[in-house]
Amino acid sequence: AQSVTQLDSQVPVFEEAPVELRCNYSSSVSVYLFWYVQYPNQGLQLLLKYLSGSTLVKGINGFEAEFNKSQTSFHLRKPSVHISDTAEYFCAVSGSGGYQKVTFGTGTKLQVIP
Amino acid sequence: KAGVTQTPRYLIKTRGQQVTLSCSPISGHRSVSWYQQTPGQGLQFLFEYFSETQRNKGNFPGRFSGRQFSNSRSEMNVSTLELGDSALYLCASSRDRSGNTIYFGEGSWLTVV
């Protein structure tokens, strides 16, 4: 079994400031990790993913995330946010062997303040 | 390459009616999953289909059903609609069942009145 915890339900941040959205997971097997973004009235768009290799993963729109196995974390960061980054962000995990269901966190709403 | 396509995008139904939602996966993708998203419950897994067979099912009543066709397109059906079924229904596709990346459609917004 696996689970994902996004501790922050809402994160307000001023425009051009840095932001970190936290994600912790638990799993008994090796994992794949994902961040998705959902803009208002839209579906989920893949931001970035960690499958293997380098623990620092770069995604679209200037976002990046770092896989930390010892802390079972996959935090999402952006050095300078823009108004257009206002959206809800979902962290997700799946096991990396055989059939593996994707499990989603409860989401973090990022509100960028002008 | 076209993404995951869901139809219809918006619909309004009356309590007691039934509804069918359609999903066309990305070309070459054989696994299709359905999720229900509501403000109170977040993203909840409904079911997954692969090679025309339901492989996994979430904790939803039997009023929720689905199927997958030989071309991997999928439909989900909700019978005897209740007000609480109002939600965004999201379809996601992936190449296989390895958990290696799923891609979402724009969703179908269902309002039950």
Side-chain angles (χ1 to χ4, degrees):
Chain A
Q2 58 207 21
S3 65
V4 179
T5 302
Q6 292 182 248
L7 287 172
D8 305 307
S9 59
Q10 295 192 54
V11 173
V13 62
F14 286 104
E15 193 173 15
E16 298 184 5
V19 69
E20 177 180 87
L21 305 184
R22 297 181 294 168
C23 172
N24 287 90
Y25 69 92
S26 68
S27 176
S28 56
V29 298
S30 297
V31 296
Y32 297 143
L33 292 156
F34 312 89
W35 276 99
Y36 288 85
V37 60
Q38 185 177 35
Y39 299 103
N41 302 317
Q42 294 188 24
L44 274 69
Q45 179 183 1
L46 181 67
L47 260 184
L48 49 79
K49 60 184 177 182
Y50 169 80
L51 303 181
S52 65
S54 173
T55 57
L56 182 62
V57 180
K58 293 189 183 297
I60 62 172
N61 301 340
F63 284 92
E64 63 180 34
E66 184 154 22
F67 170 54
N68 188 318
K69 189 175 181 179
S70 62
Q71 296 188 5
T72 60
S73 68
F74 190 55
H75 301 332
L76 181 70
R77 301 184 183 99
K78 186 169 182 178
S80 175
V81 296
H82 188 265
I83 291 288
S84 59
D85 294 323
T86 295
E88 190 159 18
Y89 294 79
F90 292 89
C91 182
V93 64
S94 73
S96 62
Y99 166 66
Q100 298 291 346
K101 186 178 122 184
V102 180
T103 301
F104 287 85
T106 52
T108 298
K109 290 183 180 175
L110 174 63
Q111 183 186 4
V112 180
I113 305 164
Chain B
K1 191 163 159 179
V4 179
T5 304
Q6 291 188 246
T7 56
R9 288 294 317 278
Y10 304 93
L11 65 166
I12 301 173
K13 291 286 188 177
T14 305
R15 270 184 303 174
Q17 286 187 313
Q18 74 163 9
V19 66
T20 299
L21 308 178
S22 179
C23 173
S24 293
I26 292 171
S27 178
H29 285 196
R30 297 170 60 195
S31 174
V32 173
S33 302
W34 289 89
Y35 293 80
Q36 181 196 63
Q37 187 178 28
T38 59
Q41 300 296 321
L43 269 168
Q44 292 189 285
F45 172 76
L46 278 157
F47 27 63
E48 181 226 351
Y49 286 86
F50 182 82
S51 293
E52 301 178 63
T53 303
Q54 187 180 92
R55 304 290 178 148
N56 209 359
K57 191 177 192 304
N59 189 24
F60 278 82
R63 299 185 297 108
F64 291 81
S65 63
R67 58 178 176 169
Q68 186 181 34
F69 303 95
S70 58
N71 61 359
S72 295
R73 191 177 69 84
S74 177
E75 289 181 347
M76 68 162 282
N77 184 277
V78 188
S79 62
T80 320
L81 283 166
E82 301 176 359
L83 295 179
D85 297 333
S86 296
L88 175 64
Y89 290 88
L90 291 163
C91 172
S93 78
S94 61
R95 187 172 301 280
D96 51 38
R97 304 185 70 226
S98 67
N100 178 347
T101 314
I102 61 173
Y103 297 91
F104 285 86
E106 293 291 304
S108 291
W109 285 95
L110 171 65
T111 301
V112 182
V113 298

